Amino acid sequence: MKVFNNPRDMQNQAQRWRRSSSGTVGFVPTMGALHEGHLELVRRSRKENKHTVVSIYVNPTQFGPKEDFNQYPRTLEADLKLLKREGVKAVFTPSDQDMYPEGFSVKMEITGPLVNGLCAPHRPGHFNGVVTVVVKLLNLVLPDRLYLGQKDAQQAAILKKTLQDLDTGVETVICPIVREPDGLAMSSRNQRLTPEGRKSAAVLYRALKVGKSIVDLGESDAEKVLVEIRKVVEAERNIKLQYLEAVDADNLQPVIEIKPGTLLALAAYLDNVRLIDNIVV
Ligand code: AMP
């Protein structure tokens, strides 16, 4: 397994693959502290492409000043072992200095309906940071396909639209959410929960499933469904909902009437850790 620290080395490798037309390249960008959710993206990419590149980079520009950039778990050695075991041949782990050298002066901005709701108003600048770093990474890795998780549904929708709007020719592949046995969506941030918080966290998916089952029984009034989900979450002490919304899964616009394809999405704080989850009904 080759580990590229330097962006130029990564790009040279990518260009060699391109020139030799030796099959497609799949790319899985991550912030590390890898778990099964990440590894499923890696497996899917390995299945669908000749080459798979995984990046591990905790991107400072997508964290707000009061967010958890410093506390974000960093477990590079364990991550590399996992990727080696998966048969990954190329990992990209750039430094901040290489990604944002002194004088770096580009900031991409997402506008429009995709950033009206969900995480965007609560994390000003977050998605601009995500898009900027992913476009840089794409220019270094030159992939044919980009693998993203449904766990970060808004991020996936925004990146898919960005790749289309910028005519990158890169295909977006969105993979299902991988969960712990009790239903909690896997996340690098779960490591930061206390044992008690970890138990409480399962309520988020339980609540979303209650919402889905009400819809399955015939309720289509979004507000009524959201009220029932909220009740389940709020019955658990120590959890604070940041938002709970019913939106169209493609354009992320709020819906009044729930239809097939509606996304129920939430963010909540627990032990000072911000967790997100969603379900498509
Ligand atoms: P992160 O390291 O949190 O930035 O995530 C890197 C990629 O893995 C993103 O596309 C995430 O959506 C995806 N991902 C993270 N957790 C999960 C999960 N539990 N299931 C599926 N994909 C995930």
Side-chain angles (χ1 to χ4, degrees):
M1 185 170 82
K2 280 192 190 156
V3 180
F4 299 98
N5 304 120
N6 184 304
R8 295 287 85 75
D9 294 342
M10 180 70 249
Q11 198 177 45
N12 286 338
Q13 172 63 265
Q15 284 169 341
R16 277 198 298 277
W17 283 330
R18 290 247 147 231
R19 279 195 214 105
S20 64
S21 17
S22 68
T24 58
V25 176
F27 176 41
V28 184
T30 81
M31 298 204 298
L34 300 182
H35 49 67
E36 277 295 308
H38 298 114
L39 298 182
E40 277 299 311
L41 306 189
V42 170
R43 288 172 197 138
R44 175 90 180 261
S45 173
R46 295 243 306 134
K47 219 180 284 168
E48 296 178 352
N49 302 282
K50 167 109 187 258
H51 308 285
T52 287
V53 178
V54 179
S55 66
I56 298 178
Y57 179 58
V58 186
N59 172 38
T61 68
Q62 69 189 70
F63 288 81
K66 292 188 189 132
E67 293 187 351
D68 58 352
F69 176 71
N70 288 323
Q71 292 94 314
Y72 199 86
R74 288 159 171 89
T75 59
L76 184 61
E77 257 179 51
D79 292 348
L80 294 178
K81 260 190 209 152
L82 287 173
L83 294 176
K84 201 166 173 187
R85 205 182 302 156
E86 291 297 325
V88 171
K89 297 280 172 3
V91 182
F92 181 40
T93 61
S95 67
D96 291 342
Q97 188 49 41
D98 280 329
M99 289 301 273
Y100 301 106
E102 182 116 346
F104 183 86
S105 51
V106 174
K107 192 183 209 170
M108 305 188 71
E109 188 181 356
I110 299 299
T111 58
L114 290 180
V115 286
N116 280 346
L118 306 178
C119 294
H122 301 282
R123 302 191 71 186
H126 168 68
F127 290 113
N128 294 340
V130 169
V131 165
T132 305
V133 80
V134 170
V135 168
K136 264 183 82 78
L137 291 169
L138 292 177
N139 286 332
L140 294 168
V141 176
L142 306 176
D144 298 278
R145 299 194 181 92
L146 176 67
Y147 291 82
L148 302 169
Q150 172 65 16
K151 154 99 189 321
D152 299 86
Q154 189 171 23
Q155 169 174 281
I158 287 171
L159 286 172
K160 184 175 178 185
K161 183 75 167 46
T162 303
L163 300 198
Q164 285 165 357
D165 286 358
L166 295 180
D167 300 312
T168 59
V170 178
E171 181 190 342
T172 310
V173 182
I174 302 176
C175 303
I177 302 179
V178 179
R179 299 180 178 281
E180 299 286 357
D182 67 357
L184 175 64
M186 288 194 181
S187 164
S188 308
R189 289 187 168 97
N190 294 350
Q191 307 182 11
R192 296 184 38 229
L193 294 169
T194 61
E196 198 191 331
R198 171 62 193 82
K199 276 188 214 148
S200 306
V203 75
L204 298 178
Y205 185 52
R206 228 168 41 235
L208 289 171
K209 277 199 305 189
V210 166
K212 184 174 182 310
S213 65
I214 298 169
V215 174
D216 290 343
L217 288 172
E219 181 58 71
S220 64
D221 182 324
E223 199 43 50
K224 286 188 184 154
V225 174
L226 296 179
V227 164
E228 294 308 316
I229 297 175
R230 190 174 286 276
K231 273 189 209 159
V232 179
V233 176
E234 287 176 350
E236 190 74 46
R237 284 185 309 131
N238 309 327
I239 290 203
K240 209 171 154 277
L241 263 181
Q242 185 179 55
Y243 70 75
L244 169 65
E245 292 180 33
V247 299
D248 179 278
D250 293 319
N251 63 27
L252 306 186
Q253 290 314 284
V255 298
I256 295 169
E257 191 84 358
I258 292 186
K259 301 179 210 68
T262 296
L263 181 79
L264 304 173
L266 56 77
Y269 274 97
L270 179 60
D271 293 338
N272 261 329
V273 180
R274 186 173 180 277
L275 301 175
I276 57 173
D277 201 354
N278 66 78
I279 197 168
V280 178
V281 298

